[in-house]
Amino acid sequence: MDMRADLLIVGAGMVGSALALALQGSGLEVLLIDGSPLSVKPFDPQAPFEPRVSALSAASQRILERLGAWDGIAHRRASPYNQMHVWDGSGTGQIHFSAASVHAEVLGHIVENRVVQDALLERLHACDLGLLANARLEQMRRSGDDWLLTLADGRTLRAPLVIAADGAHSAVRRLTGCATREWDYLHHAIVTSVRSSKAHQMTAWQRFTDTGPLAFLPLTRDGQQDWCSIVWSTTPSEAERLMTLDEEAFCRELERAFEGRLGTVLSADGRLCVPLRQRHAKRYVAEGLALIGDAAHTIHPLAGQGVNLGFLDAAVLAEVLLNAASRGERLADVKVLSRFERRRMPHNLALMSAMEGFERLFQADQLPLRWLRNTGLKMVEQMPEAKALFVRQALGLSGDLPELAKA
Ligand SMILES: Cc1cc2nc3c(=O)[nH]c(=O)nc-3n(C[C@H](O)[C@H](O)[C@H](O)COP(=O)(O)OP(=O)(O)OC[C@H]3O[C@@H](n4cnc5c(N)ncnc54)[C@H](O)[C@@H]3O)c2cc1C
């Protein structure tokens, strides 16, 4: 016998979970499914940092606060930062941003993905939303006005509206034939956490090296400022070489690549290597279908924006669906779903294009381009209004914001 829902969300990662919470109390029968066990790990404040972290913007913080998940994050571990320093490793251009320039206390928080996920799951387990763990989607097809989904264990689910929140390798996107535009950055990212001899000063540091951007993101534990999360984007062959180094040799290379800005790199946790690929779905919606988060778009981590875009997708889609439900409209109607696409696609595309241009400019080795980026950085550094505009953009507080992200 099929299980039935008004709306089925595939993927209870950070973005799918946020959407489900945003729809609670709507009267809609929502079912959120995920291939993993969806268990919440007891948090140990002394445990090493998880290698996967996100720089959460002020807009994401507001959304998570309104969904009741921010307290669960703050009680576990969240590292605020109030400055950002970016410089060109092969020139003299540099730029510095501060929260104070826009009268804000922080630019954002660096939070381990596991922490965000657990805080959201805690809320989901506490409310009466349908949640199905160990439910891996394998097949999906139209059946009358519904979608019929088959799970790996043979169970079947049915709903007129399916939301794909199942990440960069979305099964929903593949099974429904949604086209994407994608290309390799020819970068792999090495992620890990390291301890340095100098304090990070609540600053997110990014150096553009000849082979790609290297970020030191500040992590704070018990008030100590000696840990940073590293995102080191470099060529695949260089990443392969760095992955084979022992801890001591890796720390020395990292210190050199970072020009020793935070002193000696004293130790490094286990490393993960992630191939980077930009992906953008040509459409986010079809009849009875919408894509959100990484299922719709993946972006270079130099922007630190992937999940921030995903939270805005979730908040806007929830708003569109709740408004349509209050008017008695059919939620699966592509005309209704297109309102979500119209609000999110231009914003996501603009940011992705800007980041791509930025990434290319910093990769360029030709003298005129190197001159341009150094001069450009120096010029922008002298323009407080332009910098404040950039900071407001990074806080996620400009543009067409959903109610959940508004002050
Ligand atoms: C190196 C790196 C650094 C990054 N840094 C930042 C940053 O600083 N700031 C930022 O905003 N973003 C950052 N990002 C991006 C961010 O991590 C992603 O945007 C975010 O994790 C996407 O969340 P999601 O919920 O859309 O997808 P995911 O986190 O991938 O979640 C997908 C969920 O779907 C489930 N699933 C998948 N397939 C199936 C299936 N067939 N059936 C059922 N369930 C399924 C999975 O189990 C998972 O729970 C970074 C990314 C990388 C690679």
Side-chain angles (χ1 to χ4, degrees):
M1 167 87 173
D2 304 336
M3 268 177 92
R4 208 180 181 294
D6 294 329
L7 188 157
L8 210 152
I9 305 169
V10 181
M14 295 188 273
V15 175
S17 298
L19 174 65
L21 285 172
L23 291 171
Q24 68 178 315
S26 62
L28 293 169
E29 256 184 72
V30 176
L31 182 59
L32 174 62
I33 71 164
D34 200 285
S36 66
L38 298 182
S39 46
V40 179
K41 249 188 14 198
F43 182 71
D44 171 5
Q46 293 314 317
F49 291 99
E50 296 276 342
R52 296 286 306 258
V53 305
S54 296
L56 298 182
S57 67
S60 292
Q61 180 178 347
R62 276 190 198 149
I63 292 171
L64 290 162
E65 277 166 1
R66 292 194 172 128
L67 299 180
W70 187 258
D71 280 351
I73 292 174
H75 286 145
R76 288 176 169 88
R77 209 154 51 188
S79 309
Y81 64 100
N82 52 26
Q83 323 257 356
M84 195 189 298
H85 191 80
V86 180
W87 75 102
D88 185 353
S90 55
T92 51
Q94 57 176 329
I95 192 158
H96 191 85
F97 301 101
S98 74
S101 69
V102 292
H103 311 290
E105 274 179 33
V106 297
L107 288 176
H109 290 81
I110 309 297
V111 189
E112 293 145 90
N113 288 3
R114 185 72 248 167
V115 164
V116 183
Q117 181 72 68
D118 280 357
L120 286 162
L121 280 177
E122 215 162 59
R123 294 293 306 148
L124 283 167
H125 286 302
C127 61
D128 59 356
L129 286 160
L131 192 58
L132 211 56
N134 301 310
R136 173 151 293 276
L137 171 70
E138 240 180 39
Q139 292 299 329
M140 178 170 174
R141 65 173 171 82
R142 282 309 253 174
S143 164
D145 287 340
D146 287 342
W147 289 101
L148 183 67
L149 285 75
T150 308
L151 304 181
D153 60 9
R155 282 178 291 177
T156 52
L157 312 170
R158 183 179 277 279
L161 175 56
V162 171
I163 312 298
D166 51 348
H169 305 287
S170 170
V172 175
R173 197 181 62 218
R174 175 173 46 81
L175 294 169
T176 55
C178 294
T180 53
R181 191 174 155 253
E182 43 190 285
W183 59 96
D184 265 324
Y185 281 117
L186 297 177
H187 267 169
H188 286 187
I190 295 179
V191 289
T192 182
S193 313
V194 303
R195 198 159 75 84
S196 57
S197 64
K198 286 191 186 161
H200 52 57
Q201 305 145 58
M202 290 172 76
T203 302
W205 306 82
Q206 186 140 248
R207 175 182 188 246
F208 283 88
T209 76
D210 288 340
T211 53
L214 166 61
F216 271 55
L217 306 173
L219 296 171
T220 303
R221 182 166 54 192
D222 301 329
Q224 299 295 310
Q225 298 191 1
D226 52 352
W227 280 90
C228 283
S229 171
I230 303 302
V231 184
W232 191 350
S233 308
T234 185
T235 57
S237 57
E238 178 63 357
E240 217 167 282
R241 188 186 69 78
L242 291 170
M243 288 299 286
T244 60
L245 298 179
D246 64 22
E247 184 184 348
E248 172 62 23
F250 178 76
C251 289
R252 297 292 75 75
E253 293 252 1
L254 183 60
E255 205 177 288
R256 245 193 317 276
F258 198 58
E259 298 173 357
R261 289 272 170 130
L262 294 183
T264 309
V265 177
L266 301 169
S267 64
D269 285 347
R271 279 156 259 163
L272 278 182
C273 183
V274 191
L276 300 179
R277 195 169 173 78
Q278 173 142 301
R279 230 178 248 109
H280 193 247
K282 289 187 178 162
R283 295 287 318 260
Y284 293 176
V285 298
E287 184 69 21
L289 186 69
L291 312 181
I292 60 173
D294 274 22
H297 42 72
T298 55
I299 180 172
H300 198 293
L302 86 89
Q305 287 297 333
V307 80
N308 292 310
L309 298 183
F311 283 138
L312 285 169
D313 288 351
V316 169
L317 181 58
E319 192 168 297
V320 164
L321 292 175
L322 294 175
N323 284 340
S326 71
R327 287 197 290 263
E329 293 176 292
R330 196 170 59 84
L331 303 189
D333 189 339
V334 70
K335 279 195 250 132
V336 169
L337 298 171
S338 295
R339 293 173 199 153
F340 152 71
E341 185 182 73
R342 276 199 297 278
R343 284 180 66 183
R344 291 303 303 149
M345 196 181 257
H347 179 264
N348 292 340
L349 265 177
L351 194 89
M352 290 171 85
S353 316
M355 283 309 135
E356 201 196 330
F358 213 57
E359 198 259 338
R360 289 209 178 144
L361 182 62
F362 275 92
Q363 281 301 98
D365 210 18
Q366 300 95 317
L367 207 54
L369 287 178
R370 285 168 67 158
W371 176 84
L372 181 70
R373 74 180 179 230
N374 270 290
T375 314
L377 280 177
K378 282 182 203 153
M379 269 170 63
V380 177
E381 178 62 7
Q382 307 303 323
M383 296 161 70
E385 279 94 28
K387 279 176 34 173
L389 198 73
F390 179 89
V391 172
R392 272 191 284 274
Q393 196 83 40
L395 291 172
L397 296 179
S398 52
D400 173 18
L401 288 179
E403 289 302 322
L404 279 176
K406 282 187 184 157

